[in-house]
Amino acid sequence: MTRIGTSDLEVFPLNLGGNVFGWTADRDESFAILDAFIAGGGNFIDTADSYSAWVPGHTGGESERIIGEWLAARGRPDVVVATKVSQHPQFSGLSASNVRAAAEASLQRLGVESIDLYYAHFDDAETPLEETVAAFGELVTAGLVRHIAVSNYTAERIRSWFEIARAGGYALPVAVQPHYNLVERGIEEDVIPLAASESIGVIPYFSLAKGFLAGKYRSADTARGADASPRAGAALTYATPAGLALVDELERIGAAHDASIATAALAWLRAQPTVVAPLASASRVGQVADLLASATLELSSAELTALDAASTAVASRSA
């Protein structure tokens, strides 16, 4: 287990993504995925109030409801649940009233008394940051949220959040959830150094680059095939000669440890400074084992260097 920033949250070093629950994984498959994750030692589950509002006929909150039903069915296992606010169709933005109403709605769907880790999902330029910071602080004071965090915030805005929180005596963020992986490394320029200086835990999303770093899309034909996932098209942007060479290197290193490409990619990410737990999802229970294995795979310094070199040719370093 590892600690999230300055919090008291001890988590498994792989964060199970709940974005697929109620979307590409139905209720029964979601339950099976969660059961397998817990059976393998996992205890850290991520979701958002907006999952999966983009699906026709959905309204948002589907993932939270499934997790809440699973928690109740399994007798409230000792897990850390993170959720987010700002993107739900009924609770858009980060005004004080919206943050409070969205948190209460998430608590009801999850069936818990307190949210372990509550993220500001996306920055809200229409709401003064002072108002948002105070609203999150009040949730902690009221006991509705244990710890707060930010997602998709620039380093400048995170720094401002800390300044406002310190001046007002509000709870400080303990984690940041950014887009980060072997082909998207822009946050190394500013967010990672800030996380280190403020002792914030980094919990990267799109850890497998929408499936590309799992070796799923090694040609355009594969990404466009009948078995392609809804995110396959986005993964095509990485399928350049340099990107495919990186996947080959992941495959070589993974094979040396009897591990999959995905496991090796997640192990590289977990080894990066300030990273607490890469975030990855499974739409089928058979995918859970590779996620779990990444938590114990220790890559050698030579292997990390080789992946860094292969990554340099393809990675985006623009924040």
Side-chain angles (χ1 to χ4, degrees), residues 58-245:
H58 286 200
T59 59
E62 287 79 12
S63 173
E64 289 183 332
R65 285 191 192 90
I66 286 177
I67 293 170
E69 290 173 11
W70 175 80
L71 288 170
R74 299 298 182 262
R76 309 284 183 214
D78 186 15
V79 296
V80 172
V81 177
T83 192
K84 312 178 189 77
V85 56
S86 82
Q87 299 297 293
H88 190 286
Q90 290 182 293
F91 306 105
S92 178
L94 294 172
S95 67
S97 60
N98 188 73
V99 167
R100 178 66 178 242
E104 290 174 348
S106 287
L107 286 165
Q108 184 174 23
R109 286 189 291 264
L110 290 166
V112 296
E113 294 182 356
S114 180
I115 297 167
D116 296 313
L117 186 64
Y118 200 43
Y119 287 94
H121 200 169
F122 284 88
D123 200 350
D124 177 9
E126 303 301 316
T127 300
L129 189 56
E130 290 82 0
E131 179 179 344
T132 299
V133 172
F136 272 76
E138 288 165 7
L139 289 178
V140 175
T141 300
L144 301 183
V145 167
R146 292 178 62 189
H147 298 283
I148 64 171
V150 296
S151 177
N152 298 297
Y153 273 60
T154 65
E156 180 182 1
R157 291 286 278 180
I158 297 171
R159 192 173 291 110
S160 295
W161 187 305
F162 270 86
E163 292 172 355
I164 294 166
R166 287 194 171 107
Y170 302 118
L172 301 176
V174 300
V176 57
Q177 189 176 117
H179 186 183
Y180 184 36
N181 55 51
L182 272 162
V183 293
E184 295 286 350
R185 300 180 62 175
I187 69 161
E188 292 176 351
E189 303 293 333
D190 49 15
V191 173
I192 292 291
L194 176 59
S197 66
E198 292 287 4
S199 299
I200 313 171
V202 174
I203 302 169
Y205 70 85
F206 287 163
S207 299
L208 295 174
K210 303 176 183 178
F212 179 73
L213 294 174
K216 292 174 64 177
Y217 311 117
R218 299 177 88 161
S219 73
D221 290 340
T222 302
R224 295 190 180 111
D227 296 330
S229 78
R231 289 180 172 172
L236 271 177
T237 60
Y238 304 120
T240 62
L244 295 174

Side-chain angles (χ1 to χ4, degrees), residues 233-290:
L236 271 177
T237 60
Y238 304 120
T240 62
L244 295 174
L246 170 60
V247 173
D248 289 342
E249 187 66 13
L250 283 167
E251 185 173 43
R252 181 189 70 79
I253 290 172
H257 296 273
D258 194 25
S260 72
I261 294 170
T263 299
L266 291 170
W268 175 87
L269 195 51
R270 182 174 55 83
Q272 302 313 299
T274 73
V275 171
V276 172
L279 174 60
S281 57
S283 56
R284 300 187 304 277
V285 69
Q287 298 169 333
V288 175
D290 283 348

